[in-house]
């Protein structure tokens, strides 16, 4: 008699996995609805905590980030409000409410920042691995097209087609390399989330001189990570060390 395709232990494991996924989805929805109810009741800190619980459980989305931004802003934490509005726009660049509320929060904080070119958004969304793969593919197409077009064995009528393919490959490779560089800069964007703001210091020590004072909601670019400090660049080119607890990246690592 043939053995069953799925053994009993495997079936039990799959059922347990399905049940856990369903339970996770219910928990996400529960936290989200709890946050909505708390927000409607004017309990903005509780709403933010419920939304954060949903986010930590894996419920990632533009609307959740938008709601977090609203809750934090109404709770008097403009730095985290800016952070989550920016995350909502990173997940859904055309989110009109997030863009409008971000502008309102920035006017309230008067925090310095630099405009992010729209072409950096798809670079970040594609990810470094895919961009690298496309760049390599373009480089190989360009190389193969040039070799075949000018090689000893070729048809005259095919030469122009091969050169065209090679040129397209070169354009693809160059574009991907530019996006890789821009995507790396975009993924290093961070927001000062400490309510009292933060000081950028000349050295990673609390006794160091202050290079710049940053209000909550200010945008910086992380240049170097340490356990307790982040070396950042501020709009205008000033660089300094900021306590790691005072800022968060717009695009968390691993996403």
């Amino acid at each position: 008699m043939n053995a069953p395709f799925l053994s009993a232990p495997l079936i039990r494991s799959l059922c347990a996995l399905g049940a856990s996924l369903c339970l996770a989805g219910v928990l996400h929805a529960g936290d989200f609805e709890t946050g909505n109810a708390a927000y409607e009741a004017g309990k903005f800190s509780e709403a933010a905590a419920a939304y954060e619980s949903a986010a930590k459980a894996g419920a990632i989305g533009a609307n959740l980030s938008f709601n977090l931004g609203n809750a934090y802003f109404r709770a008097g934490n403009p730095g985290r409000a800016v952070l989550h509005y920016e995350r909502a726009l990173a997940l859904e660049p055309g989110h009109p409410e997030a863009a409008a509320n971000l502008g309102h929060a920035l006017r309230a904080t008067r925090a310095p920042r630099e405009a992010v070119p729209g072409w950096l958004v798809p670079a970040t969304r594609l990810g470094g691995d895919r961009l690298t793969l496309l760049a390599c593919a373009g480089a190989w197409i360009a190389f193969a097209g040039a070799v075949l077009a000018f090689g000893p064995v070729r048809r005259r009528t095919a030469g122009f087609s091969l050169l065209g393919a090679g040129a397209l490959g070169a354009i693809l490779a160059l574009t991907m390399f530019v996006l890789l560089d821009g995507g790396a800069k975009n993924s290093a964007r961070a927001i000062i989330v400490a309510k009292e703001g933060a000081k950028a210091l000349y050295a990673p020590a609390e006794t160091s001189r202050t290079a710049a004072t940053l209000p909550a909601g200010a945008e910086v670019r992380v240049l170097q990570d340490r356990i307790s400090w982040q070396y950042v660049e501020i709009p205008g080119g000033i660089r300094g060390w900021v306590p790691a607890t005072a800022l968060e990246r717009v695009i968390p690592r691993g996403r």
Side-chain angles (χ1 to χ4, degrees), residues 52-152:
E52 288 283 13
S53 180
K56 289 177 181 177
I60 301 169
N63 288 334
L64 176 59
S65 295
F66 172 70
N67 284 10
L68 268 165
N70 291 340
Y72 275 123
F73 189 80
R74 298 294 295 273
N77 194 331
R80 289 199 173 275
V82 170
L83 171 70
H84 288 288
Y85 289 141
E86 290 280 16
R87 284 183 178 171
L89 289 169
L91 291 167
E92 187 180 326
H95 200 298
E97 293 86 359
N101 286 13
L102 173 61
H104 183 67
L106 290 175
R107 286 191 292 272
T109 61
R110 298 181 180 179
R113 65 200 307 99
E114 291 179 342
V116 180
W119 59 267
L120 286 183
V121 175
T124 304
R125 297 291 296 275
L126 279 173
D129 292 342
R130 292 189 183 93
L131 291 173
T132 301
L133 183 62
L134 289 171
C136 291
W140 275 110
I141 292 171
F143 176 76
V147 169
L148 293 174
F150 295 102

Side-chain angles (χ1 to χ4, degrees), residues 174-201:
L174 180 61
T175 302
M176 292 304 106
F177 282 126
V178 171
L179 288 177
L180 274 169
D181 180 64
K185 292 179 180 178
N186 194 34
S187 64
R189 293 170 61 221
I191 303 297
I192 301 296
V193 296
K195 282 187 177 182
E196 66 280 8
K199 291 181 178 180
L201 307 177

Side-chain angles (χ1 to χ4, degrees), residues 228-244:
S228 301
W229 295 88
Q230 306 275 298
Y231 187 53
V232 305
E233 183 177 64
I234 304 161
I238 300 174
R239 296 184 177 187
W241 294 90
V242 175

Side-chain angles (χ1 to χ4, degrees), residues 33-49:
E33 292 304 324
T34 299
N36 290 342
Y39 189 91
E40 291 296 329
K43 300 176 180 179
F44 304 116
S45 295
E46 292 182 18

